[in-house]
């Protein structure tokens, strides 16, 4: 998701500029959606990514201030409070390694 958004961002910006629209707000929204969707895939779906790959993706997501803010809000209101504790800690403390490790451990239980 993050790679796809990064690749398509210049085309979106060009299209918007050609139509007299400032691309900045749309680029920010596109990046935020990509971060949140990637986070959802990493935390909710089984996968074959290694720990290092997962950690790198979580690090990229957590590096985005808007994504971190949105994730903190989402996790604060998560109905599965107990299961969300490691995620809340990982996001609050900016620990992509914890997030990667927890998602891998959780996969074994799914």
């Amino acid at each position: 998701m993050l790679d796809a958004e990064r690749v398509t961002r210049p085309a979106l910006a060009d299209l918007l500029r050609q139509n007299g629209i400032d691309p900045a707000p749309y680029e920010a929204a596109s990046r935020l959606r990509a971060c949140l969707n990637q986070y959802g895939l990493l935390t909710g779906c089984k996968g074959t990514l290694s720990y290092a790959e997962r950690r790198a993706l979580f690090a990229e997501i957590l590096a985005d201030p808007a994504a971190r803010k949105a994730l903190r809000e989402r996790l604060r209101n998560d109905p599965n409070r107990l299961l969300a504790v490691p995620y809340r800690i990982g996001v609050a403390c900016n620990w992509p390694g914890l997030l990667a490790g927890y998602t891998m451990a959780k996969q074994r239980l799914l």
Side-chain angles (χ1 to χ4, degrees):
M1 293 246 139
L2 296 173
D3 289 342
E5 190 277 333
R6 189 175 14 263
V7 169
T8 59
R9 187 181 322 138
L12 172 64
D14 288 343
L15 177 67
L16 292 170
R17 277 191 209 95
Q18 289 172 7
N19 289 289
I21 301 170
D22 178 19
Y26 296 97
E27 289 176 320
S30 175
R31 176 69 180 170
L32 177 60
R33 275 193 314 275
C35 286
L36 295 177
N37 288 337
Q38 184 71 68
Y39 177 88
L41 287 172
L42 287 168
T43 60
C45 299
K46 284 190 172 189
T48 59
L49 293 176
S50 69
Y51 172 82
E53 292 168 316
R54 284 174 182 274
R55 187 187 180 293
L57 287 169
F58 278 121
E60 187 174 346
I61 293 166
L62 294 176
D64 187 298
R68 283 187 69 193
K69 180 180 178 184
L71 287 172
R72 280 193 305 269
E73 184 63 28
R74 181 182 285 182
L75 290 166
R76 188 179 6 260
N77 298 314
D78 193 313
N80 301 309
R81 291 199 177 271
L82 188 57
L83 291 174
V85 168
Y87 293 126
R88 285 201 317 260
I89 293 169
V91 170
C93 296
N94 196 19
W95 289 343
L98 172 67
L99 295 171
Y102 182 61
T103 57
M104 291 182 83
K106 193 175 94 173
Q107 271 191 12
R108 294 185 182 125
L109 302 174
L110 296 177

